[in-house]
Amino acid sequence: MTSPTYKTAPVPSKKMPTGIPYIVGNEAAERFSYYGMRGILVVFMTQYMLNSQGMEDHMSDQQASTYFHLFVAACYFFPLLGSLISDIFWGKYRTILVLSVVYCFGHLALAIDETRTGLLLGLTLIAIGAGGIKPCVSAHVGDQFGSKNQNLLSRVFGWFYLSINMGAFISSLLIPVILEEYGPHYAFGLPGVLMLIATILFWLGRNEFVHIPASGWEKFRAETFSREGMQALLNLCVLFYVFLPVFWSLFDQTGSSWVLQGQRMNLKVGDHVLNPAQMQALNPLFILLLVPIFTYVIYPLIEKVFPLTPLRKISIGFFLASASFAISAVLESWITHSPESPPHILWQTLPYLVLTSAEVMVSITCLEFSYTQAPKSMKSFIMSLFWLAVTVGNLLTAGVNKVIMIDEKSSRLEGADYFWFFSGLMLVAAVLFVFVAQRYKGKTYIQDDAIDEAQAEEEGIH
């Protein structure tokens, strides 16, 4: 039997590529699975986890927070492995499909085993799967476009990000309720089902996708270590490993320190008691609202004052991230000084709004910027460096949590001081980034429209 023939270059067209709906749908289901599982991890580790005898085996808040950030760090380390497999050996499509199956088995392990063994096995497989596919999926989006429809790329990356947050929004509301009502088996099982759906949906789009072949080791090595490749790496690594990690060290605390803060706030809304983990749904909800507002209102207004380059967007986002943790510090002071009458958890809406605004300006911009600044045979590899910044950020948070502990019950950064520390750290990074951004010089790369005439005739392209 002959292997199927797929498109290997973007179709010369000004229209939207036909494979985009499959990628966007896949991403929505995959992100539902990831954020649904991730959103209840700290609660599971501190309130539900059992030992092999079925007895309670709960972690402390600090220990659970450290494990949470180590897991997130692992999820964003494995993009490096996935990108190398993709760019050198398998290509993006096959890498995504195979590692998605690994991802599914990780959810299965969490759903059937409530012990630390199940937790370790499940999170390891999920980190390999979720991390491995991450740089390939975003690069695979860009591969569908050529020079004639390159102008649609920003719009699609916006859709891509909206699909991520639609899945995250629904799962952040639903999965904590399922955990409370039905327990960990169902709460971890449903995200597994969605990941299976995501895998099937991606496979169904195989004939619509552009399959950019793996470059092979020689071409990858030659381009990576060429003067042009090394310059691109040097330029982007300053951004990825000096500044972005600080942003991610703050952002991912929405799943740890902000949840733990919420547990000490007033949770009552009428007769209903909110689950602090559900507040994480505010982030994807605000993304859905803010992406069009920023795109069609805020960015055009800023453009009337000064040109809004990608690096200027990122710079503004860094300052907003610092402000969000300053607000959290004020809320923490309120909790500390009014233990009998703590602030309502809905006050967390304000720092979520500010941090999500920062995310719109930083994460979406960096996603597209990373793709366009990467030489053609290094697309997945460069995207993995972008995601590796999340690993460094979470290792930073885990490291700080470890260093500040005096013993299991006391910390060197108690209460609001903890949040002020991260706010100040982000502020310093934001100020320094302004000077670095002014000196950045890069080059834009896009997959061209080269496609041989035989394939054009066969596919009816004119």
Side-chain angles (χ1 to χ4, degrees):
M1 293 180 63
T2 59
S3 58
T5 300
Y6 299 121
K7 292 179 288 187
T8 58
V11 174
S13 171
K14 294 182 180 180
K15 297 181 179 180
M16 191 66 66
T18 57
I20 292 300
Y22 294 94
I23 301 175
V24 172
N26 161 269
E27 189 69 8
E30 185 271 325
R31 291 290 88 182
F32 179 105
S33 77
Y34 175 77
Y35 282 105
M37 170 276 306
R38 197 187 90 153
I40 61 172
L41 271 182
V42 169
V43 177
F44 169 74
M45 289 186 284
T46 56
Q47 299 180 24
Y48 289 87
M49 197 159 56
L50 307 175
N51 60 22
S52 57
Q53 284 75 45
M55 306 295 290
E56 292 183 354
D57 187 22
H58 303 164
M59 293 183 183
S60 67
D61 288 354
Q62 205 72 38
Q63 187 181 20
S65 180
T66 300
Y67 272 76
F68 174 86
H69 286 288
L70 288 174
F71 163 67
V72 176
C75 284
Y76 292 95
F77 169 78
F78 280 106
L80 184 60
L81 175 65
S83 71
L84 293 175
I85 293 174
S86 168
D87 282 348
I88 298 173
F89 302 108
W90 289 353
K92 301 177 188 69
Y93 172 78
R94 186 180 175 192
T95 302
I96 294 169
L97 195 62
V98 171
L99 292 182
S100 291
V101 175
V102 174
Y103 198 162
C104 291
F105 279 109
H107 280 295
L108 180 64
L110 285 180
I112 63 177
D113 191 340
E114 298 177 59
T115 70
R116 296 190 183 217
T117 300
L119 182 73
L120 178 62
L121 178 60
L123 295 186
T124 299
L125 292 176
I126 289 173
I128 294 171
I133 70 174
K134 183 162 285 295
C136 306
V137 173
S138 48
H140 188 56
V141 172
D143 285 349
Q144 308 307 303
F145 293 83
S147 58
K148 290 187 177 179
N149 56 2
Q150 179 186 351
N151 62 302
L152 300 175
L153 189 57
S154 294
R155 183 188 303 177
V156 169
F157 271 117
W159 292 352
F160 188 67
Y161 217 78
L162 286 173
S163 72
I164 290 173
N165 288 279
M166 179 63 76
F169 172 65
I170 297 172
S171 64
S172 296
L173 288 176
L174 181 61
I175 301 302
V177 174
I178 293 177
L179 179 65
E180 284 187 353
E181 298 292 330
Y182 302 102
H185 293 307
Y186 290 97
F188 286 126
L190 181 58
V193 171
L194 265 293
M195 187 57 222
L196 179 61
I197 291 173
T199 305
I200 294 172
L201 188 60
F202 187 76
W203 176 79
L204 289 174
R206 65 196 182 281
N207 293 319
E208 303 297 328
F209 298 146
V210 173
H211 296 242
I212 301 296
S215 60
W217 168 248
E218 288 303 321
K219 184 177 179 181
F220 176 82
R221 180 187 61 79
E223 187 161 299
T224 301
F225 294 101
S226 68
R227 181 177 180 180
E228 192 174 35
M230 292 302 292
Q231 187 61 54
L233 285 173
L234 179 62
N235 289 343
L236 291 171
C237 280
V238 173
L239 172 63
F240 291 155
Y241 297 127
V242 178
F243 300 103
L244 268 182
V246 183
F247 171 79
W248 290 117
S249 73
L250 273 66
F251 181 82
D252 281 327
Q253 290 190 54
T254 56
S256 58
S257 65
W258 284 20
V259 173
L260 296 172
Q261 181 187 71
Q263 291 177 344
R264 293 178 285 110
M265 302 176 80
N266 180 359
L267 303 175
K268 292 184 178 180
V269 179
D271 295 329
H272 180 68
V273 177
L274 287 175
N275 186 316
Q278 288 181 302
M279 293 299 289
Q280 294 173 82
L282 286 174
N283 172 252
L285 174 62
F286 284 146
I287 284 288
L288 296 173
L289 297 174
L290 291 177
V291 166
I293 291 174
F294 270 78
T295 302
Y296 298 109
V297 180
I298 295 177
Y299 288 160
L301 287 176
I302 296 176
E303 286 279 2
K304 292 181 179 180
V305 181
F306 57 83
L308 192 58
T309 64
L311 293 179
R312 284 177 178 171
K313 288 181 185 179
I314 295 168
S315 180
I316 296 170
F318 284 165
F319 283 102
L320 288 173
S322 174
S324 72
F325 262 64
I327 298 170
S328 292
V330 172
L331 290 178
E332 190 66 26
S333 295
W334 189 352
I335 295 169
T336 302
H337 293 99
S338 303
E340 301 300 323
S341 182
H344 200 279
I345 195 170
L346 291 181
W347 276 104
Q348 281 194 335
T349 302
L350 184 56
Y352 266 107
L353 177 61
V354 177
L355 186 61
T356 306
S357 298
E359 182 190 5
V360 171
M361 303 196 81
V362 174
S363 187
I364 296 178
T365 306
C366 284
L367 195 64
E368 181 183 351
F369 190 71
S370 301
Y371 180 84
T372 59
Q373 294 292 298
K376 295 177 184 178
S377 66
M378 298 168 60
K379 295 295 187 185
S380 294
F381 181 63
I382 290 292
M383 296 305 292
S384 75
L385 296 183
F386 166 66
W387 295 119
L388 199 57
V390 185
T391 293
V392 180
N394 279 273
L395 289 176
L396 172 61
T397 305
V400 169
N401 282 329
K402 186 174 180 62
V403 169
I404 65 176
M405 292 305 297
I406 300 172
D407 53 46
E408 288 189 1
K409 295 184 179 180
S410 58
S411 168
R412 294 179 178 86
L413 291 175
E414 293 284 359
D417 290 344
Y418 180 87
F419 295 96
W420 283 122
F421 170 81
F422 281 99
S423 177
L425 184 65
M426 186 73 256
L427 180 61
V428 171
V431 172
L432 293 175
F433 181 76
V434 172
F435 296 99
V436 173
Q438 290 174 344
R439 292 163 176 78
Y440 180 89
K441 293 181 180 179
K443 180 179 178 181
T444 298
Y445 303 85
I446 196 79
Q447 299 290 359
D448 61 35
D449 283 10
I451 184 169
D452 61 58
E453 292 297 322
Q455 185 178 347
E457 289 183 12
E458 183 180 333
E459 296 174 1
I461 299 169
H462 302 287

